[in-house]
Each structure stands twice: as structure tokens, then as C-alpha cells.
Amino acid sequence: NAGVTQTPKFRVLKTGQSMTLLCAQDMNHEYMYWYRQDPGMGLRLIHYSVGEGTTAKGEVPDGYNVSRLKKQNFLLGLESAAPSQTSVYFCASTLAGGPYEQYFGPGTRLTVT
Amino acid sequence: TQLLEQSPQFLSIQEGENLTVYCNSSSVFSSLQWYRQEPGEGPVLLVTVVTGGEVKKLKRLTFQFGDARKDSSLHITAAQPGDTGLYLCAGAAGMEDSGNTPLVFGKGTRLSVIA
């Protein structure tokens, strides 16, 4: 099992450009999450999904959109990147029903200039 | 809003010393997890505690869940350089919740063990 994978690993964008981050998991997990991690801020939840076709906003959703068309994939989109979105992005997944132990991907380091 | 406060924020110790990291909240959690994150990688689950007062051991690491399920501690005995990393605690919502509420993460304790 590959677990949780993320592509790409690194990306540099210019302000105003768009991109999509892909997260894939092969553990048949129902729940998937997107976080950003910034120095001193910890992990902050952007959006999450409790099943195929359903998404919900987390703590910091502005400027991001997500889609969960297939159970194993969770996409994070930036429509018009801003320097404030420079961060490390992590995807995670977990089984429904508790205790919600999360399995994280290796992260995507995004720089917006 | 549920919050988890971790202390200390930073800790630098010599190899062989003991240390304790704390995770506190005013909210009740149905379970609490500890993760370790190394530079350039995602967090990796160390342990989950579910029952109030529960103690779990993982080699030199001892985890305890408070009796009231509002706090937890991580104790490392005879720390080694390989223990260096960011330690995160995360709580799942109380029993009365639907279960769809995402985990609440603390901001982490950054541990450096010097050889």
C-alpha cells in the first residue's frame, strides 16, 4: 500500500496563477482532509470531505476550492494564487466511525511569488 | 470552539535527559492522539488514547490521558537524538458529537535532542 500520496511535491507560482494539488489514498478511507502548515501556526484545516461528492469548509477555506469526485482522490484548487498562500500543504485521510486516526501524505511545498 | 494548548512550545535538551510535554484543553475529547513530524515529512501517528486515565507506553515514550479526558501528557525517558521532531497532539470531539467534526490539533512542541 502506498498510503497517502500527494502531487506535486514542490511548486512555485506567480501571483494570480492557478493550480490543483492532488491527494490520493489507497486505504479505502471515507474521510479526507486538506491542511496548511505555517511556522508558529500549527496545522490549520482548509477543507474536508466525509464521503464521495461531499465537502465542507474548515478553519481557513478562503481562496481554496476542493472536489471529491472519487472516494480515493481529494483535489485542492487555488484559483488565483496569492503570496499569503505560500505554505506547506498536507492531505490526510481516516476511517469513519472513530477514533479518527489520521494518515498524512508527505506534503506539497508551495511558494507564491 | 475547542482548543488544545501544548507546552512547552520549544524544548532543547541533552541526550539522556527526561522530558514531559503537555496538551491541555477545557473541552472533553472522546480520544486523543499524538503525532511526530520530522522535517520535510508529514505527521506520523504515535498513539491514540481513548479512556480517561489511560496510560500507553511505546518503548521510551509514555502517554497518559487525563481522568476527565481534557488533557494528555507525553513523557520521554532518556531522550535520544532520534527523538528530535515536532510533537503534535490532536483531539476528537466529545461523545455527544456526530463524529463528523474534524480533529482539533495543538500547535506542537518542537523538541531538539542534542548528542
Side-chain angles (χ1 to χ4, degrees), chain A residues 6 24 44 46 48 50-51 53-54 60 65 68 79-80 87 108 112:
Chain A
Q6 292 183 233
R44 291 185 292 171
I46 304 171
Y48 65 102
V50 298
T54 67
V60 288
N65 56 76
R68 183 105 180 263
E79 291 183 345
S80 180
S87 187
T108 294
V112 183

Side-chain angles (χ1 to χ4, degrees), chain A residues 31 33 35 37 40-43 45 48 50 90 99-102 104-106, chain B residues 31 33 35 37 40-43 45 48 86 88 92 99-100 102-103 105 107:
Chain A
Y31 296 175
Y33 309 85
Y35 296 91
Q37 188 175 41
M41 302 296 289
L43 282 167
L45 183 65
Y48 65 102
V50 298
F90 289 100
Y100 310 108
E101 299 166 336
Q102 296 197 1
F104 284 83
Chain B
S31 66
Q33 302 158 20
Y35 295 80
Q37 183 179 18
E41 299 181 7
L45 180 70
T48 300
L86 179 67
L88 296 161
N100 285 345
L103 290 179
F105 278 87
K107 293 186 177 181

Side-chain angles (χ1 to χ4, degrees), chain B residues 4-53:
Chain B
L4 275 170
E5 300 286 341
Q6 285 191 244
S7 61
Q9 190 176 356
F10 300 96
L11 191 55
S12 181
I13 63 171
Q14 295 291 324
E15 181 177 1
E17 292 184 354
N18 301 332
L19 67 113
T20 302
V21 173
Y22 299 93
C23 178
N24 296 302
S25 177
S26 58
S27 303
V28 175
F29 292 97
S30 59
S31 66
L32 199 137
Q33 302 158 20
W34 284 92
Y35 295 80
R36 180 168 66 207
Q37 183 179 18
E38 298 189 19
E41 299 181 7
V44 175
L45 180 70
L46 294 174
V47 78
T48 300
V49 285
V50 179
T51 305

Side-chain angles (χ1 to χ4, degrees), chain A residues 59-77:
Chain A
E59 180 186 356
V60 288
D62 294 343
Y64 305 95
N65 56 76
V66 289
S67 64
R68 183 105 180 263
L69 299 179
K70 294 183 179 180
K71 185 177 183 179
Q72 64 268 33
N73 295 338
F74 195 28
L75 278 63
L76 178 71

